Amino acid sequence: MATDTAKFSIKDLDLWYGESQALKKITFDIQPNTITALIGPSGCGKSTFLRQLNRMNDLIDSVKVQGSVLYDGLDILNDCDVIELRQKVGMVFQKPNPFPMSIYDNVAYGPRLHGLATGKKRHRALDEIVERSLVHAALFDEVKDRMHKSALGLSGGQQQRLCIARVLAVEPDVLLMDEPTSALDPISTAKIESLLDDLKKQYTIVIVTHNMQQAGRVSDATGFFLTGEMVEFGKTDDIFFNPKDSRTESYISGRFG
Amino acid sequence: MNSKKAPKTANQRHQRELKRDQHHAVIHWLVTGFVLLVLLYIIGYTFAAGFKNLSLNFFISSDFDRGIAPQLFNTFYILILSMIPMLLIGISAAVYIVEYAKQGTMLKILRFATETLSSVPSIIIGLLGFLLFVTNFGQGPRWEFSRLAGALTLAILNLPWMMRTAEDALRAVPASLREASYALGATKLQTIFRTVLPAAIPGLMTGALIVSGRVIGETAALIYTSGVAGSSNGWFNFNLIHVPGDTLAVHIYTLFADNPTPAAQQGQTATAVVLIALVLGVNLLGRFFERRLTKRFSGE
Ligand SMILES: Nc1ncnc2c1ncn2[C@@H]1O[C@H](COP(=O)(O)OP(=O)(O)OP(=O)(O)O)[C@@H](O)[C@H]1O
Ligand SMILES: [Mg+2]
């Protein structure tokens, strides 16, 4: 894998919460326009790793980091503007977390922050960004008549797609998703999975999931985490059907039951 | 340990818990009933004594023992004057405590200070207000007994309450909303102004109204600051620092202290009805806003 074409190039990434080490020498590349799944048992550091890619870990005082993470060749652990980084590297959380505002204002939140709709016709421009993002997140048809109603009146699955639309509205380049369907019913999950396939054309996606079938269905590459280490990383088919490491094999066969 | 006792079956345990719940319910209703009774007695007694003395003229007359027009005006004027600095300082302080302050000595000192301040008797705060605002410690240009002096004194008196309720309102905003905002590339200040404060509005509103009830009812802190005198001619003026002005609560005190004539007693009981109605109204309004806004924030 050539480093210069990678979206993210992670090398020897160590992370500590105070004295306890949560990530150990993580090293691998994430390719553009692919879906990378991160799997592994609870507490192995998947979320921690994901939150390092957009530096959400900065919000936790006790976190110390070492190593390097290159994003499009740029060292994001040292010289980088976090605001710009988070605009480019969006995040969808495990529990849908819409703001207690209207559906429209939720999607417009990011564009308003970053002044994406400008000029004389900026209201029209903002309307267009909101509509485009909702269409892209496969939610527009369901909410087009209630754009100015509270987002909290939506179902869980709709709320999660709204959160995806909200991220898409700031025109990101990467989507980080931490178990985005674990709080949803199978139908909502299926909707989001088919959405992912569509989004891949435009974005690079990294998704944490406990659902092996989901990882198998949607991802191109898979990384297996165990107690803070990346045990194995490779094409999803190889990881699932031809793992090199016995720990990967036993985890995957155990999860498939 | 005595191990002879047969282990309880799930059903027995369930029965026992059920019984305990029933006991709790009985105690709960006894306490609630007692508090309700006291409240109803106070309201009932006040209304029984004073309601018959109310008339339209009572609201628009500015005669000392025949009407409360000046006192109504002063009460609302002082309320607004005191809420403005209190809201600004109280909410800013709460934002600092919740969003910026690190757990540690500084925060402990701040908590100790506000808790102590909130337990100082209001008459003492009144004397402080007198020295600070009315006499200016005998230095340089001075104010008179005035409504601004009263309002600022009430702001000092109630600031700890405002801070506490504002802090609760901010802490009630889920961390997941702050994370969502940061993850979209918002700065801390943007997150506070666009996410945290708007989401906290129901709580802030309720807190402000509860504090308003305390402001409307306060007496001791005003006697030495906004004064006991109603300037009966030309009371309808907005002069901040040279004109005294008694509120409804102070008026009840003056009517009794200066002039316990039958007419004054009638005026007193009628004023009490108005005061209680106002305080109750403000509290009910607080609940109403809380409910309405919660509804808006959680979808219809
Ligand atoms: N804020 C924190 N402070 C201290 N330790 C933390 C914090 N967040 C996570 N940890 C610890 O770091 C380790 C990795 O946690 P992380 O949340 O990354 O695991 P995960 O793989 O996402 O687990 P799950 O599948 O349950 O979500 C765990 O041992 C956890 O207890
Ligand atoms: Mg996790």
Side-chain angles (χ1 to χ4, degrees):
Chain A
M1 283 179 220
T3 302
D4 50 359
T5 64
K7 190 44 82 180
F8 280 104
S9 183
I10 299 108
K11 192 151 188 297
D12 292 334
L13 180 65
D14 288 317
L15 185 146
W16 292 264
Y17 288 109
E19 296 301 307
S20 88
Q21 188 164 7
L23 296 177
K24 295 168 196 157
K25 295 268 171 286
I26 307 288
T27 301
F28 73 111
D29 285 355
I30 295 171
Q31 299 304 326
N33 299 95
T34 58
I35 299 181
T36 301
L38 304 179
I39 60 171
S42 194
C44 65
K46 306 176 298 290
S47 299
T48 303
F49 172 77
L50 202 67
R51 290 163 58 89
Q52 198 54 40
L53 297 184
N54 65 347
R55 300 244 323 245
M56 286 297 278
N57 286 331
D58 289 17
L59 301 177
I60 302 166
D61 287 330
S62 68
V63 166
K64 281 187 306 254
V65 191
Q66 217 175 61
S68 83
V69 177
L70 302 185
Y71 164 64
D72 280 344
L74 183 81
D75 179 1
I76 59 165
L77 296 190
N78 296 309
D79 47 19
C80 128
D81 176 0
V82 216
I83 302 301
E84 235 172 86
L85 175 69
R86 289 182 188 152
Q87 195 183 339
K88 286 282 147 214
V89 183
M91 182 164 232
V92 176
F93 297 82
Q94 176 171 2
K95 230 178 114 234
N97 54 356
F99 298 120
M101 322 166 173
S102 71
I103 292 168
Y104 185 97
D105 288 338
N106 261 278
V107 185
Y109 190 91
R112 282 179 176 143
L113 284 178
H114 303 297
L116 295 185
T118 52
K120 270 203 213 96
K121 294 180 176 167
R122 62 176 180 281
H123 290 293
R124 277 278 299 285
L126 190 59
D127 288 350
E128 272 161 28
I129 294 176
V130 170
E131 178 170 342
R132 183 170 6 105
S133 309
L134 286 168
V135 168
H136 215 147
L139 185 61
F140 184 70
D141 289 334
E142 289 161 63
V143 300
K144 60 172 182 273
D145 301 321
R146 51 198 284 209
M147 294 287 262
H148 296 283
K149 294 257 168 71
S150 171
L152 302 182
L154 298 174
S155 75
Q158 289 173 325
Q159 286 187 4
Q160 194 63 304
R161 276 177 286 148
L162 179 67
C163 292
I164 294 174
R166 185 171 69 182
V167 173
L168 298 182
V170 297
E171 293 163 14
D173 174 38
V174 179
L175 295 178
L176 307 177
M177 302 182 151
D178 195 348
E179 303 183 44
T181 61
S182 66
L184 306 182
D185 62 275
I187 294 175
S188 304
T189 300
K191 274 194 186 147
I192 287 184
E193 281 182 15
S194 73
L195 176 63
L196 289 182
D197 219 41
D198 197 39
L199 293 173
K200 177 171 104 174
K201 295 175 201 129
Q202 228 176 313
Y203 307 95
T204 305
I205 298 173
V206 186
I207 180 172
V208 171
T209 179
H210 277 286
N211 180 329
M212 292 298 118
Q213 282 84 354
Q214 181 169 64
R217 275 194 302 267
V218 303
S219 71
D220 305 292
T222 295
F224 171 57
F225 277 70
L226 196 62
T227 56
E229 284 175 79
M230 168 79 92
V231 172
E232 193 168 347
F233 177 79
K235 283 206 180 103
T236 297
D237 286 347
D238 292 344
I239 296 287
F240 275 63
F241 302 112
N242 211 355
K244 292 195 189 70
D245 196 297
S246 60
R247 290 170 295 176
T248 314
E249 186 174 7
S250 68
Y251 180 74
I252 286 182
S253 55
R255 294 289 295 192
F256 271 117
Chain B
M1 273 295 192
N2 179 1
S3 57
K4 259 194 232 152
K5 245 194 220 154
K8 291 242 184 316
T9 65
N11 189 38
Q12 276 171 317
R13 227 176 306 131
H14 180 71
Q15 289 297 329
R16 206 179 51 189
E17 267 163 28
L18 215 64
K19 203 161 231 163
R20 204 179 45 209
D21 283 353
Q22 280 164 356
H23 289 165
H24 281 186
V26 169
I27 293 173
H28 179 93
W29 282 111
L30 276 177
V31 173
T32 311
F34 178 71
V35 173
L36 259 178
L37 219 65
V38 171
L39 182 68
L40 285 177
Y41 178 74
I42 292 173
I43 295 174
Y45 179 81
T46 312
F47 272 71
F51 196 76
K52 59 179 185 293
N53 300 326
L54 282 178
S55 64
L56 179 63
N57 195 46
F58 187 70
F59 287 96
I60 54 180
S61 164
S62 58
D63 267 9
F64 178 67
D65 47 15
R66 288 210 181 75
I68 52 165
Q71 289 76 25
L72 268 176
F73 173 73
N74 289 333
T75 301
F76 283 107
Y77 193 36
I78 287 179
L79 174 64
I80 291 168
L81 287 177
S82 68
M83 285 315 284
I84 293 169
M86 218 179 338
L87 283 170
L88 284 176
I89 299 172
I91 295 177
S92 311
V95 166
Y96 168 75
I97 291 172
V98 176
E99 306 291 331
Y100 289 95
K102 300 234 150 56
Q103 293 297 327
T105 326
M106 284 294 288
L107 197 58
K108 278 197 195 120
I109 293 174
L110 182 62
R111 283 220 189 289
F112 178 73
T114 52
E115 259 153 42
T116 310
L117 182 59
S118 71
S119 62
V120 174
S122 59
I123 186 83
I124 306 290
I125 305 279
L127 285 173
L128 172 77
F130 175 72
L131 290 172
L132 209 58
F133 304 119
V134 180
T135 71
N136 195 16
F137 292 107
Q139 312 282 313
R142 48 170 290 183
W143 302 356
E144 311 289 331
F145 280 97
S146 61
R147 288 166 296 192
L148 186 59
L152 294 181
T153 306
L154 289 184
I156 295 175
L157 178 66
N158 287 301
L159 187 61
W161 289 78
M162 192 63 235
M163 276 171 64
R164 173 61 67 180
T165 54
E167 196 186 324
D168 290 346
L170 295 183
R171 284 201 199 285
V173 176
S176 64
L177 295 184
R178 294 182 178 83
E179 284 206 316
S181 175
Y182 287 124
L184 288 166
T187 62
K188 184 155 201 163
L189 218 53
Q190 286 171 327
T191 301
I192 289 170
F193 278 102
R194 295 176 189 226
T195 297
V196 180
L197 286 174
I201 282 175
L204 291 173
M205 204 79 149
T206 308
L209 282 162
I210 288 171
V211 170
S212 294
R214 293 174 53 83
V215 168
I216 291 172
E218 179 55 39
T219 319
L222 292 178
I223 290 174
Y224 298 119
T225 51
S226 53
V228 294
S231 46
S232 51
N233 47 344
W235 55 267
F236 188 76
N237 68 73
F238 292 89
N239 189 306
L240 287 173
I241 58 176
H242 294 302
V243 175
D246 55 348
T247 62
L248 290 169
V250 173
H251 189 57
I252 295 178
Y253 163 77
T254 351
L255 278 170
F256 191 74
D258 293 3
N259 200 2
T261 64
Q265 268 176 22
Q266 283 178 10
Q268 192 188 25
T269 51
T271 311
V273 170
V274 177
L275 184 60
I276 284 216
L278 263 181
V279 172
L280 276 181
V282 161
N283 278 295
L284 288 179
L285 200 66
R287 300 273 164 262
F288 171 75
F289 269 117
E290 191 180 23
R291 195 124 25 96
R292 219 185 70 165
L293 284 157
T294 322
K295 219 191 241 165
R296 201 188 88 203
F297 279 97
S298 60
E300 340 297 87

